[in-house]
Amino acid sequence: MNFLFFGLGSIGQRHLRNLIKIEKKSKIYAYRKKYSTPLLDHRNKVLKGNLEKKYNITSIKKLEFLKKNFIKIDAAFICNPSSMHVSTAEWCIKRNIPIFVEKPVATNIKDLKKIKRLIKSKKNLVNVVGYQLRFNPLIQFIKKYCFDREHLGKIYNCEIYHGEHVDNFHTYESYKVSYASKKKLGGGVVLTQIHELDYLNYFFSKYKLVDYKYISQKISNLKMNVEDNNMSIFKFKSKLKKNISFAKVTCSYIQVPKMRTIFISCKLGSLYADLNNLKIKILKNNRKEIIKKFNFNKNEMFVNEIKHFLNLIKKKKTKKILPNILDDNFVNSLANKIKI
């Protein structure tokens, strides 16, 4: 299979490493405008060597190269800066190329409407959005335990917290030059940490959002022109039982040490999940706490989402987990409304 990569930063290189392990006979092409990111390992540590030579990548400066050389691309990975996702996806969709697009799909409402209209005209084109946390065993457990089977009864509220320091995202570069810190590249804590909104929506798939409030602001002295903190409160109504549930999502660029937690309060007890330390604590009917420990490699989530994408392309039977662009429209639209 022939694959085309748009962008080979840290996430692009992670997908590349995983892809060539799964599809060993694949041919990789890369369209790169900048060559600023060095060769990285799975921990984003800088390695000596040349990226193109190590992975036998054919880098191209103009996309016309593919047509001139009669190269058919079987799938594309869109991993360039967030603000370029829509224009890149548009190029691929018009050529019927299946796409794996990193989050967020769009960084403004205008682009979101444009890509929505375009993808609607290509109903059978495979496209997914890279929300790898949907393959996180803790997220999967919570979804089944609290929301699908309601082992803890009616859900009263769900509190999600994700905080880490933006300067620790990439050890090979300063936050000042990162896309995450630049408005024109689609940065800001809301879009960068949009995973929390996605799995909140995944949890509450049987509910309807009826109201929300938010505060987004830059409150630090960091040199960036985007929000570094957001707090949003949501009101959900169950589509079947008409129960009301509340949720709060807090995201921060200035948290040290990093923290990623989920707390769910229900009629019959509560659940607390620590996504960084891979633990879940459950208290049911005032009994002794149940502690569940999970053991998995972070990269397994990324491997599984690539396999999921490839299975869709090859038309293999697979349970739908990743959202496509239309599925993601609600979350992406919401994120663009609550950012600054």
Side-chain angles (χ1 to χ4, degrees):
M1 296 180 73
N2 293 328
F3 295 96
L4 175 60
F5 275 76
F6 292 88
L8 283 172
S10 61
I11 190 61
Q13 289 190 41
R14 181 184 289 277
H15 291 324
L16 172 64
R17 290 190 302 268
N18 291 333
L19 177 65
I20 59 179
K21 287 181 181 179
I22 300 168
E23 289 287 330
K24 295 181 172 60
K25 295 183 179 180
S26 58
K27 176 63 181 173
I28 308 297
Y29 296 88
Y31 179 64
R32 305 176 71 191
K33 290 189 175 181
K34 292 184 178 181
Y35 292 75
S36 56
T37 306
L39 177 64
L40 303 171
D41 67 7
H42 66 287
R43 295 179 179 174
N44 282 341
K45 299 292 184 182
V46 177
L47 300 174
K48 292 181 180 180
N50 180 275
L51 181 60
E52 278 79 5
K53 288 182 179 179
K54 181 174 178 61
Y55 298 114
N56 193 27
I57 299 169
T58 299
S59 286
I60 57 178
K61 293 183 178 180
K62 293 184 178 181
L63 291 169
E64 289 78 11
F65 170 89
L66 300 170
K67 186 176 181 180
K68 287 180 180 179
N69 290 275
F70 305 99
I71 299 168
K72 180 183 180 298
I73 298 298
D74 296 297
F77 286 81
I78 300 174
C79 310
N80 45 11
S82 302
S83 60
M84 302 176 187
H85 287 179
V86 167
S87 59
T88 306
E90 187 177 16
W91 185 90
C92 295
I93 294 166
K94 288 180 178 179
R95 289 159 180 79
N96 295 309
I97 299 173
I99 54 173
F100 180 108
V101 56
E102 267 302 319
K103 55 76 188 173
V105 173
T107 58
N108 59 71
I109 298 296
K110 182 180 178 181
D111 275 353
L112 189 60
K113 290 180 179 179
K114 181 197 297 184
I115 198 68
K116 182 181 177 181
R117 287 194 300 268
L118 182 59
I119 203 67
K120 274 187 173 181
S121 68
K122 302 280 188 176
K123 291 182 179 179
N124 296 322
L125 183 67
V126 173
N127 66 97
V128 300
V129 185
Y131 288 114
Q132 77 277 355
L133 281 182
R134 291 200 179 200
F135 292 93
N136 185 308
L138 283 82
I139 298 294
Q140 286 290 330
F141 178 86
I142 295 169
K143 168 70 171 170
K144 292 176 183 177
Y145 190 85
C146 290
F147 293 87
D148 292 347
R149 296 172 187 168
E150 297 185 349
H151 285 299
L152 294 178
K154 177 184 175 181
I155 296 168
Y156 292 143
N157 63 70
C158 173
E159 294 191 20
I160 294 171
Y161 186 91
H162 182 195
E164 57 185 317
H165 202 284
V166 65
D167 205 25
N168 294 328
F169 284 6
H170 298 151
T171 56
Y172 56 87
E173 67 178 3
S174 168
Y175 78 89
K176 298 174 186 176
V177 300
S178 171
Y179 82 92
S181 302
K182 297 179 181 292
K183 190 170 186 176
K184 68 177 182 179
L185 295 181
V189 74
V190 173
L191 290 177
T192 304
Q193 296 182 351
I194 196 174
H195 287 288
E196 270 57 39
L197 289 179
D198 174 68
Y199 70 72
L200 177 72
N201 183 52
Y202 181 52
F203 286 163
F204 283 92
S205 60
K206 296 178 181 178
Y207 293 69
K208 180 181 179 181
L209 178 64
V210 293
D211 195 13
Y212 67 93
K213 306 290 183 183
Y214 68 91
I215 301 174
S216 294
Q217 193 170 339
K218 177 180 179 291
I219 61 176
S220 72
N221 294 322
L222 294 174
K223 295 183 178 180
M224 58 174 67
N225 61 352
V226 292
E227 79 282 353
D228 55 25
N229 273 264
N230 165 268
M231 182 180 291
S232 301
I233 299 174
F234 306 95
K235 179 182 178 182
F236 290 97
K237 179 184 285 188
S238 172
K239 294 175 183 177
L240 296 176
K241 300 177 182 179
K242 307 301 180 183
N243 291 333
I244 296 297
S245 301
F246 289 92
K248 181 173 75 172
V249 177
T250 304
C251 293
S252 174
Y253 263 180
I254 52 176
Q255 169 76 33
V256 179
K258 65 181 181 179
M259 187 169 78
R260 205 168 199 175
T261 59
I262 301 168
F263 176 77
I264 303 174
S265 174
C266 306
K267 183 177 181 179
L268 302 178
S270 61
L271 179 147
Y272 173 81
D274 186 331
L275 299 187
N276 288 336
N277 292 311
L278 309 182
K279 290 182 181 181
I280 286 179
K281 295 180 181 179
I282 302 169
L283 181 65
K284 186 174 182 180
N285 295 324
N286 292 320
R287 295 177 184 172
K288 185 179 179 181
E289 278 188 336
I290 302 168
I291 299 177
K292 294 186 66 67
K293 297 180 180 180
F294 296 77
N295 184 21
F296 67 97
N297 187 302
K298 173 186 174 183
N299 193 55
E300 291 175 21
M301 298 185 294
F302 295 92
V303 170
N304 287 333
E305 65 176 351
I306 298 298
K307 288 181 178 178
H308 180 65
F309 177 50
L310 294 177
N311 284 339
L312 291 173
I313 294 173
K314 297 174 182 179
K315 297 182 179 179
K316 292 184 178 180
K317 287 186 178 180
T318 181
K319 182 181 177 181
K320 184 176 180 180
I321 298 177
L322 287 178
N324 59 32
I325 291 173
L326 288 180
D327 295 332
D328 182 51
N329 183 72
F330 171 77
V331 168
N332 202 172
S333 177
L334 182 63
N336 276 293
K337 290 175 182 176
I338 66 177
K339 70 182 181 68
I340 62 170

